[in-house]
């Protein structure tokens, strides 16, 4: 799968690395600011005390 993605992207290797870095950053941004908070609202927190 990664080889197919590498061959589909245009440009030299440094441009491919830059494109993949931007894609990875966009995925992480979406997870941290949209997916994880949404999942956090669905889960019930455990009431725990540390003593």
């Amino acid at each position: 799968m990664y080889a197919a993605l590498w061959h589909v992207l245009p440009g030299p290797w440094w441009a491919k690395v830059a494109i993949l870095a931007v894609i990875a950053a966009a995925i992480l941004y979406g997870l941290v600011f949209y997916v994880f908070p949404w999942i956090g609202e669905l889960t019930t927190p455990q009431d725990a005390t540390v003593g």
Side-chain angles (χ1 to χ4, degrees):
M1 178 176 132
Y2 298 114
L5 178 61
W6 187 259
H7 292 295
V8 169
L9 292 174
W13 70 268
W14 56 267
K16 293 178 184 184
V17 170
I19 292 169
L20 289 174
V22 169
I23 291 171
I27 290 171
L28 287 174
Y29 177 86
L31 285 172
V32 169
F33 289 105
Y34 295 105
V35 176
F36 294 153
W38 174 68
I39 292 173
E41 292 176 1
L42 296 177
T43 60
T44 57
Q46 299 287 331
D47 288 331
T49 58
V50 177

